[in-house]
Amino acid sequence: MIQLRKDLMQLWHQQLTFKIAASYIGILLLLIVALPILPVTYSPNELDLQHTFAKPFTSGSGAPHWLGTDVLGRDVWVNILYGARSAFLISFPVMLFSTGLGLVLGISAGYFGNTGLKVSRAAIGVILLALLCIAYYGLYLPLSLVETGLPLKYTWYSLLVLLVLLLLLYKVALPLLKKWRFAATRFNLPLDYLVLRLTEAFTSVPRLLLILALVSFLQPSVLLLSGIFAATFWTSTARLARAETLKIKQLPYFEAAHSLGARRMRLLTKHALPNMLGPIIVTFTFSIAGLLALESTLSFLGIGVPGTFVSWGRTIAGIRSNTAAWWLVVFPGAALATTVWALQTISYHLLNHFESKR
Amino acid sequence: MLQYILKRFLLSLPALWLLVTLVFLLSRLLTGTPGAEQILQENGGYYSKGSAAGREQAYKSYLERTGQNLPLFYFSVKASPEPDTLHLVYPESHRAFLKKLYWQYGNAQLVNQYYASIRSLEHALSPTQESEARLYFDILYRTTSPESINLAIAQLPQLNFGNTTHTNELRAAAALLLENQQAFAYLVPFWRWHGSNNQYHIWFTNVLQGNLGVSLRDGRPVSTILYGAVANTWWHILISIVLAFAISFKLGMLLVMPQSIKLRKVVLPTLFIIDSIPLFLLALLLLVLLATPSFLQLFPVYGMGYYIAAGGTWLQRLSIYAQYMALPVVCLVLGNIPYLTSLIYRSFSEESKKDYARTAKAKGMSPRQVIRTQLLRNTLLPAITVLSETLPALVAGAVIVETIFAIPGMGRLMVEAVLARDYPVIIAVVMLVAAFRAVSYLLADVCYSLADPRIKHAAS
């Protein structure tokens, strides 16, 4: 962590573009945080029907529209500010979640490989049963109950049953099964193979197409869309974490820690993880840029997000009803492109820096 | 080599199968009965004049026609009180009402009896009575909690239907239902085995035989729709990939020349900036700047110009098509050049530091000769890897570009299908693109062995 801060400071002093990009992102984040107390005169979904397609710097019914309005008289400047907020509110949690998922899958695939993890047949059986229980009592029942609109107590019952079943499986079924010779036999779990096949299945179609397909099955909702993003963005982190773990596994210091008898958890979190932090941060920033672009693209196409969702893409889409309204493309587009540029620049410099250190 | 390719191909099949199966099952699980509401809405004018029974008939025949009356998968696990035929109940409000009753009272038979007695009472009424009692039945079809059912049943005598047998039947059914409530029955899962007569099995065998089903929107076979769309997209993708690679190689070679330091300082940052403009923004900017009357109108705006180009010689037709294809192709090329060029430039500059390049230079070759005769072949390898990635990625780019320029290709087909929730088409597009990607990976393998004979020996 200290090393990371030192690296960042060094980059800040050496690279001018890094400085510009980082301060742009910093200012943008500051604006987003300070948005509730900023003196913005319109709300992003407020219609000013007297002043539709108003040019920049024209007066509105309240305060002037600094950057013009769109087809329904929504203020472009306010929409850019709030659009930035929703873009980051989607992309940060999604990337945190999918980075976590990718790290867990990638590191375990790289560390255990196809032969490193030995499990007894009993454990596999119990895990499968537990998954089935979770799917039924933890997913199917609650979701159906929400759909039918029955009182909440039904859901609590189902979750209670789930808890009891899981406890039973772990405390009673597993020890009992292990007494049986056949079930106690241990075999190698091909974890690496499984993770690789899973990543392959998720990447065998371009991400945009996969997301379009998945989105079409659901009602437009920001939360569901974030879930779909998270479910499709873990693959790059997983691949990277797997490759890094394979590399680190063979380094002398790691073998030394291993032979000193460090626990597996300690090995992975204290020795492997810090060493791959650099590349992970690079992918993180890079993927955030990708997510921003993807979110705007989907809002531009009007797919997967409700019409009230404030986004740069939604404002840009206004150009389709009036191709002369250049301000609908130029300002939000500039905001989008600059943000993506800044994130990519940061990740580019970080990458160069980490690579030159190796 | 052939053996190796075959093996790679077979290995890529499980992932493909997994993806397609997931997409199919999700499309059915998450949406209920896709397309039904559209069918009924489209014919709303006709059916609204008819009776509710006519509408129910239409719904059932729609389910049968599309095979959706069958179970989804080989087996199903449901909460035990919910019968397997729930999705056949027609008005959707009744389906939700029944489901709630099943889950709450836990006894499918008694619930069905209660529901049937409400319906028989409703059908036994005369038209004037029915219009008076409309509100009462609407409430009855919504109340599920024991207290409110009791309350509603208690109101029965005041309504004076005059039809005592049906009223008594309903009262008895309601009493029976309320008495025998099994509130926790929903916690018990019930497993049903359906055998091979299910939607997934039929769909999958059809796909294996090349039958992709019928579009929910217009009833045309999906393969016909796809064929027309692919033909358009294919040309765009092919032309853009050839152009993008040609330009990137040329640029990469130029940049790696020792005398082009200044060029590097201009071109690399420019490429970086182009790379940070999302494709849809790039396409829109080009559209607004070059194809609208408010600025410069150099190119036609929308479509492919089929109607203009119907007559004329092939040269005339080609020139018209070229006008329409210019902007989309420029977008796709610009979207791909930055990454490609920087990759090719990097691999050129890495290769030029190696011993064999220095030897060639020492023998007196000019820098241009060194690049063309010595370095080019070695830089092909990373370029091929990227090629197999770029080809499918171009389909995603086509989604955006075709939507903006209104080209009737695969991408626009996908967007329209998503907006109209036309699942057979969506699944078919996903499948096609996945297969396309698998093929492009194979193609890359073949190209590898052509570019570097060592790989061929290693594989065989």
Short mmCIF file of all heavy atoms in Angstrom, two decimals, chain B residues 210-238:
data_model
loop_
_atom_site.label_atom_id
_atom_site.label_comp_id
_atom_site.label_asym_id
_atom_site.label_seq_id
_atom_site.Cartn_x
_atom_site.Cartn_y
_atom_site.Cartn_z
N GLY B 210 -30.69 -27.56 -38.07
CA GLY B 210 -30.61 -26.32 -38.84
C GLY B 210 -31.90 -25.51 -38.85
O GLY B 210 -32.03 -24.55 -39.58
N ASN B 211 -32.87 -25.88 -38.01
CA ASN B 211 -34.12 -25.13 -37.96
C ASN B 211 -34.11 -24.23 -36.74
O ASN B 211 -34.13 -24.69 -35.61
CB ASN B 211 -35.28 -26.13 -37.89
CG ASN B 211 -36.61 -25.43 -37.78
OD1 ASN B 211 -36.68 -24.21 -37.83
ND2 ASN B 211 -37.66 -26.20 -37.61
N LEU B 212 -34.04 -22.92 -36.97
CA LEU B 212 -33.87 -21.99 -35.86
C LEU B 212 -35.18 -21.45 -35.32
O LEU B 212 -35.20 -20.61 -34.44
CB LEU B 212 -32.99 -20.82 -36.28
CG LEU B 212 -31.55 -21.19 -36.59
CD1 LEU B 212 -30.82 -20.02 -37.19
CD2 LEU B 212 -30.84 -21.65 -35.34
N GLY B 213 -36.30 -21.92 -35.87
CA GLY B 213 -37.57 -21.46 -35.34
C GLY B 213 -38.15 -20.31 -36.15
O GLY B 213 -37.68 -19.99 -37.24
N VAL B 214 -39.16 -19.67 -35.58
CA VAL B 214 -39.92 -18.66 -36.30
C VAL B 214 -39.91 -17.39 -35.47
O VAL B 214 -40.02 -17.44 -34.25
CB VAL B 214 -41.37 -19.17 -36.48
CG1 VAL B 214 -42.24 -18.08 -37.04
CG2 VAL B 214 -41.40 -20.37 -37.38
N SER B 215 -39.77 -16.26 -36.14
CA SER B 215 -39.77 -14.99 -35.42
C SER B 215 -41.13 -14.74 -34.78
O SER B 215 -42.17 -15.03 -35.36
CB SER B 215 -39.44 -13.85 -36.39
OG SER B 215 -39.86 -12.64 -35.86
N LEU B 216 -41.12 -14.20 -33.57
CA LEU B 216 -42.38 -13.92 -32.89
C LEU B 216 -43.04 -12.67 -33.47
O LEU B 216 -44.22 -12.44 -33.29
CB LEU B 216 -42.15 -13.70 -31.40
CG LEU B 216 -41.67 -14.89 -30.59
CD1 LEU B 216 -41.50 -14.49 -29.15
CD2 LEU B 216 -42.64 -16.03 -30.69
N ARG B 217 -42.24 -11.85 -34.17
CA ARG B 217 -42.78 -10.58 -34.64
C ARG B 217 -43.62 -10.75 -35.90
O ARG B 217 -44.73 -10.28 -36.00
CB ARG B 217 -41.65 -9.60 -34.91
CG ARG B 217 -41.53 -8.55 -33.86
CD ARG B 217 -40.52 -7.53 -34.26
NE ARG B 217 -39.27 -8.15 -34.68
CZ ARG B 217 -38.30 -7.50 -35.28
NH1 ARG B 217 -38.43 -6.23 -35.53
NH2 ARG B 217 -37.19 -8.11 -35.61
N ASP B 218 -43.01 -11.42 -36.91
CA ASP B 218 -43.74 -11.50 -38.17
C ASP B 218 -43.92 -12.93 -38.67
O ASP B 218 -44.39 -13.12 -39.78
CB ASP B 218 -43.04 -10.64 -39.23
CG ASP B 218 -41.55 -10.91 -39.27
OD1 ASP B 218 -41.13 -11.87 -38.61
OD2 ASP B 218 -40.83 -10.17 -39.95
N GLY B 219 -43.52 -13.91 -37.88
CA GLY B 219 -43.78 -15.28 -38.27
C GLY B 219 -42.90 -15.81 -39.39
O GLY B 219 -43.11 -16.92 -39.87
N ARG B 220 -41.91 -15.01 -39.81
CA ARG B 220 -41.01 -15.53 -40.84
C ARG B 220 -39.99 -16.45 -40.19
O ARG B 220 -39.66 -16.27 -39.01
CB ARG B 220 -40.27 -14.37 -41.52
CG ARG B 220 -41.13 -13.65 -42.52
CD ARG B 220 -40.28 -12.75 -43.39
NE ARG B 220 -39.63 -11.71 -42.63
CZ ARG B 220 -38.48 -11.12 -43.01
NH1 ARG B 220 -37.89 -11.50 -44.12
NH2 ARG B 220 -37.96 -10.17 -42.27
N PRO B 221 -39.45 -17.44 -40.93
CA PRO B 221 -38.42 -18.29 -40.33
C PRO B 221 -37.18 -17.46 -39.98
O PRO B 221 -36.79 -16.58 -40.75
CB PRO B 221 -38.08 -19.28 -41.44
CG PRO B 221 -39.14 -19.15 -42.46
CD PRO B 221 -39.84 -17.86 -42.28
N VAL B 222 -36.60 -17.75 -38.82
CA VAL B 222 -35.46 -16.97 -38.35
C VAL B 222 -34.29 -17.07 -39.33
O VAL B 222 -33.58 -16.10 -39.56
CB VAL B 222 -35.05 -17.44 -36.94
CG1 VAL B 222 -33.76 -16.78 -36.52
CG2 VAL B 222 -36.13 -17.12 -35.95
N SER B 223 -34.12 -18.26 -39.93
CA SER B 223 -32.96 -18.42 -40.81
C SER B 223 -33.06 -17.49 -42.02
O SER B 223 -32.06 -16.95 -42.47
CB SER B 223 -32.83 -19.87 -41.25
OG SER B 223 -34.08 -20.42 -41.50
N THR B 224 -34.28 -17.28 -42.52
CA THR B 224 -34.44 -16.35 -43.66
C THR B 224 -34.07 -14.93 -43.25
O THR B 224 -33.36 -14.23 -43.98
CB THR B 224 -35.90 -16.35 -44.14
OG1 THR B 224 -36.41 -17.65 -44.05
CG2 THR B 224 -36.03 -15.81 -45.52
N ILE B 225 -34.57 -14.53 -42.08
CA ILE B 225 -34.28 -13.17 -41.60
C ILE B 225 -32.78 -13.00 -41.42
O ILE B 225 -32.19 -12.01 -41.85
CB ILE B 225 -34.99 -12.93 -40.25
CG1 ILE B 225 -36.49 -13.11 -40.42
CG2 ILE B 225 -34.67 -11.55 -39.72
CD1 ILE B 225 -37.26 -12.93 -39.13
N LEU B 226 -32.17 -14.00 -40.79
CA LEU B 226 -30.73 -13.93 -40.53
C LEU B 226 -29.94 -13.85 -41.83
O LEU B 226 -29.00 -13.08 -41.94
CB LEU B 226 -30.27 -15.16 -39.76
CG LEU B 226 -30.29 -15.09 -38.25
CD1 LEU B 226 -29.64 -16.31 -37.68
CD2 LEU B 226 -29.57 -13.85 -37.77
N TYR B 227 -30.36 -14.65 -42.80
CA TYR B 227 -29.62 -14.70 -44.05
C TYR B 227 -29.53 -13.32 -44.70
O TYR B 227 -28.45 -12.86 -45.08
CB TYR B 227 -30.28 -15.70 -45.00
CG TYR B 227 -29.57 -15.83 -46.31
CD1 TYR B 227 -28.37 -16.53 -46.39
CD2 TYR B 227 -30.07 -15.23 -47.45
CE1 TYR B 227 -27.70 -16.64 -47.58
CE2 TYR B 227 -29.41 -15.33 -48.65
CZ TYR B 227 -28.22 -16.04 -48.72
OH TYR B 227 -27.54 -16.13 -49.90
N GLY B 228 -30.68 -12.64 -44.74
CA GLY B 228 -30.68 -11.31 -45.33
C GLY B 228 -29.81 -10.33 -44.55
O GLY B 228 -29.08 -9.53 -45.14
N ALA B 229 -29.87 -10.44 -43.22
CA ALA B 229 -29.12 -9.49 -42.39
C ALA B 229 -27.62 -9.75 -42.47
O ALA B 229 -26.82 -8.82 -42.57
CB ALA B 229 -29.60 -9.58 -40.95
N VAL B 230 -27.26 -11.05 -42.45
CA VAL B 230 -25.83 -11.39 -42.44
C VAL B 230 -25.16 -10.91 -43.73
O VAL B 230 -24.05 -10.40 -43.71
CB VAL B 230 -25.65 -12.91 -42.27
CG1 VAL B 230 -24.22 -13.31 -42.55
CG2 VAL B 230 -26.01 -13.31 -40.86
N ALA B 231 -25.90 -11.03 -44.84
CA ALA B 231 -25.31 -10.64 -46.12
C ALA B 231 -24.87 -9.17 -46.07
O ALA B 231 -23.80 -8.82 -46.57
CB ALA B 231 -26.33 -10.85 -47.23
N ASN B 232 -25.69 -8.31 -45.43
CA ASN B 232 -25.32 -6.90 -45.33
C ASN B 232 -24.13 -6.69 -44.41
O ASN B 232 -23.19 -5.98 -44.73
CB ASN B 232 -26.50 -6.10 -44.79
CG ASN B 232 -27.42 -5.70 -45.89
OD1 ASN B 232 -26.98 -5.51 -47.02
ND2 ASN B 232 -28.69 -5.61 -45.59
N THR B 233 -24.23 -7.30 -43.21
CA THR B 233 -23.19 -7.07 -42.21
C THR B 233 -21.85 -7.61 -42.68
O THR B 233 -20.81 -7.03 -42.44
CB THR B 233 -23.60 -7.73 -40.89
OG1 THR B 233 -24.86 -7.24 -40.54
CG2 THR B 233 -22.62 -7.43 -39.80
N TRP B 234 -21.92 -8.75 -43.32
CA TRP B 234 -20.70 -9.43 -43.74
C TRP B 234 -19.79 -8.53 -44.55
O TRP B 234 -18.61 -8.45 -44.31
CB TRP B 234 -21.09 -10.69 -44.52
CG TRP B 234 -19.95 -11.40 -45.12
CD1 TRP B 234 -19.73 -11.64 -46.42
CD2 TRP B 234 -18.84 -11.98 -44.42
NE1 TRP B 234 -18.56 -12.31 -46.60
CE2 TRP B 234 -17.99 -12.54 -45.38
CE3 TRP B 234 -18.47 -12.07 -43.07
CZ2 TRP B 234 -16.81 -13.18 -45.06
CZ3 TRP B 234 -17.30 -12.71 -42.76
CH2 TRP B 234 -16.49 -13.26 -43.73
N TRP B 235 -20.38 -7.81 -45.54
CA TRP B 235 -19.55 -6.96 -46.40
C TRP B 235 -18.92 -5.83 -45.60
O TRP B 235 -17.75 -5.51 -45.77
CB TRP B 235 -20.37 -6.39 -47.56
CG TRP B 235 -20.61 -7.44 -48.59
CD1 TRP B 235 -21.81 -8.01 -48.92
CD2 TRP B 235 -19.63 -8.09 -49.38
NE1 TRP B 235 -21.64 -8.97 -49.87
CE2 TRP B 235 -20.31 -9.05 -50.18
CE3 TRP B 235 -18.25 -7.98 -49.49
CZ2 TRP B 235 -19.64 -9.86 -51.08
CZ3 TRP B 235 -17.58 -8.80 -50.40
CH2 TRP B 235 -18.27 -9.72 -51.17
N HIS B 236 -19.73 -5.25 -44.70
CA HIS B 236 -19.18 -4.17 -43.87
C HIS B 236 -18.00 -4.66 -43.06
O HIS B 236 -16.96 -4.02 -42.99
CB HIS B 236 -20.26 -3.63 -42.93
CG HIS B 236 -21.22 -2.72 -43.60
ND1 HIS B 236 -22.45 -3.14 -44.02
CD2 HIS B 236 -21.11 -1.43 -43.96
CE1 HIS B 236 -23.08 -2.14 -44.59
NE2 HIS B 236 -22.29 -1.09 -44.56
N ILE B 237 -18.19 -5.83 -42.44
CA ILE B 237 -17.14 -6.34 -41.56
C ILE B 237 -15.89 -6.68 -42.36
O ILE B 237 -14.77 -6.33 -41.98
CB ILE B 237 -17.66 -7.57 -40.81
CG1 ILE B 237 -18.66 -7.14 -39.76
CG2 ILE B 237 -16.52 -8.32 -40.15
CD1 ILE B 237 -19.17 -8.25 -38.93
N LEU B 238 -16.12 -7.34 -43.49
CA LEU B 238 -14.97 -7.79 -44.29
C LEU B 238 -14.16 -6.59 -44.77
O LEU B 238 -12.93 -6.53 -44.61
CB LEU B 238 -15.48 -8.61 -45.47
CG LEU B 238 -14.42 -9.47 -46.12
CD1 LEU B 238 -14.04 -10.59 -45.16
CD2 LEU B 238 -14.93 -10.04 -47.42
#
